[in-house]
Amino acid sequence: MAEAKPQADAASSLLFLREEEIRSAQDLLFFAYRDFTDTADVVLAELGLGRAHHRALHFIGRNPGLPVTELLSILRITKQSLGRVLGTLLERGYVAQAPGRTDRRQRLLTLTEAGEALERRVFARQRERLVAAYRNAGPPAVEGFRRVMRGIMTEEARAYMDRGGAAAQNRR
Amino acid sequence: MAEAKPQADAASSLLFLREEEIRSAQDLLFFAYRDFTDTADVVLAELGLGRAHHRALHFIGRNPGLPVTELLSILRITKQSLGRVLGTLLERGYVAQAPGRTDRRQRLLTLTEAGEALERRVFARQRERLVAAYRNAGPPAVEGFRRVMRGIMTEEARAYMDRGGAAAQNRR
DNA sequence: GCAGTTAAGACAGGGTAGTTGACGCATTTA
DNA sequence: TAAATGCGTCAACTACCCTGTCTTAACTGC
């Protein structure tokens, strides 16, 4: 697989390598994501929580005071889907709501202490995996990783990350 | 976010940056994976196929002659789950089965011409996104991306990728 | 200050993709 | 020949997503 087929001309050989490189990136994304999320699932399963709960927990933790609508647009799911997940997290006391100061229709979401503790517990396992990967790859590789990942996501997601999370004004 | 808080000492500042760096990697994985898979979903939805079908199609395409058990271990799902997905793909003529030569209990999976055509169509959209990301980031960044992604996945997945796919002997 | 819009939540009803556990059959292996 | 393996299938279940419709409260524009 490493060498070009002898009968292929230079152009098709380059095309072949490009094709294989791209297909291999599909594999990288699949396996890295699969194993990264599996790492968190183990802890969550004990508590009867799923991936959906973790995603909500993560983004609320990173954006304290997040309004429901913004969380919906990050997760790209419907209100109804989020409703059940958020319901569980509220019932069990992992998440708290507070009315918005400038817009009182909003319910700004924050993690309770229990929510933060849970999130940290799940995070710790993912952290191990990431820290090991970062250390093995080295800082320049990490920067390359960051650049490529940013390139794969939509412009909108890049903008979200650049402003340091969901619209910062909600937290002021 | 770029500069350390003046009141923080060097150690806690480094810890802070490390923590933020790792959490930011969680975001990168979520958004890149979300947007990368969304790209494929659009095409698949037209045909009434889902992500599960795409994953099967992708790995069969990359590993012609793949036995069912190996596909199960790649996807990390149960036989029953795969059964439905594979049933649809067989019915619609995207995938074909052939008995194994050395072990006739096996059903070796391959894509039909229709299956290859469909896979290429879905691939084309993901390819655009990846090629753009790779071109913008540049070759050293791509190498860094590859190294970090490999570090995130399990040893087993790395081994799979290193031998160029599912056990090569099945295809001989 | 009313009309229209938005934020949040809830209803009913539905679908896909995953799970466990048990069993059957053909075939390979010890 | 007995045990193990590869594959398929039945039944029943769960998690997580969907569309469509509706209500309530609060904000916004003329």
Side-chain angles (χ1 to χ4, degrees), chain A residues 154-167:
Chain A
T154 59
E155 180 57 45
E156 185 201 354
R158 263 195 300 281
Y160 165 89
M161 293 198 68
D162 284 343
R163 66 170 186 272

Side-chain angles (χ1 to χ4, degrees), chain B residues 67-69 79-80 97 103 105-107:
Chain B
V68 174
T69 304
K79 231 190 323 181
Q80 293 71 14
Q97 292 176 318
D103 185 339
R105 290 172 305 180
Q106 294 181 329
R107 301 295 160 90

